[in-house]
Amino acid sequence: MAVVSLPMCNLYLQDRRNDGTTPRWRGVTLLHEMKARGIKVAVASTTRATRLRLCDLDMLEVYRMATRILHFRPPGR
């Protein structure tokens, strides 16, 4: 089994509201916990993210944003 997370889409779409209030629940999936249990994990983006103008499908941009969103750390830290 492997899991692919779409962190930029998650932040944009989760708890999206149309009532003029600020979204409160903007989580991402438990990648650190899955990896600790031996599940292969990855991050990516989708064409939906480009339509929403969240990114341009640049792999480095996706990784850079995922590093911030998911609090990735260098190995061994």
Side-chain angles (χ1 to χ4, degrees):
M1 175 183 353
V3 173
V4 178
S5 175
L6 308 171
M8 291 184 285
C9 288
N10 289 351
L11 289 180
Y12 183 79
L13 295 173
Q14 288 178 338
D15 199 30
R16 186 167 174 82
R17 300 170 183 224
N18 293 322
D19 60 4
T21 60
T22 302
R24 288 170 175 75
W25 299 103
R26 292 264 171 121
V28 292
T29 194
L30 304 171
L31 288 186
H32 294 283
E33 292 79 359
M34 289 183 213
K35 185 176 179 191
R37 287 171 177 74
I39 299 170
K40 294 179 182 179
V41 298
V43 294
S45 188
T46 66
T47 55
R48 180 169 180 84
T50 57
R51 286 194 303 261
L52 298 172
R53 299 189 191 265
L54 299 176
C55 73
D56 60 3
L57 297 180
D58 177 349
M59 290 187 304
L60 291 177
E61 179 185 8
V62 172
Y63 185 72
R64 187 171 39 252
M65 290 298 294
T67 298
R68 295 176 183 132
I69 294 166
L70 297 162
H71 299 263
F72 287 161
R73 291 184 295 270
R77 290 181 103 189

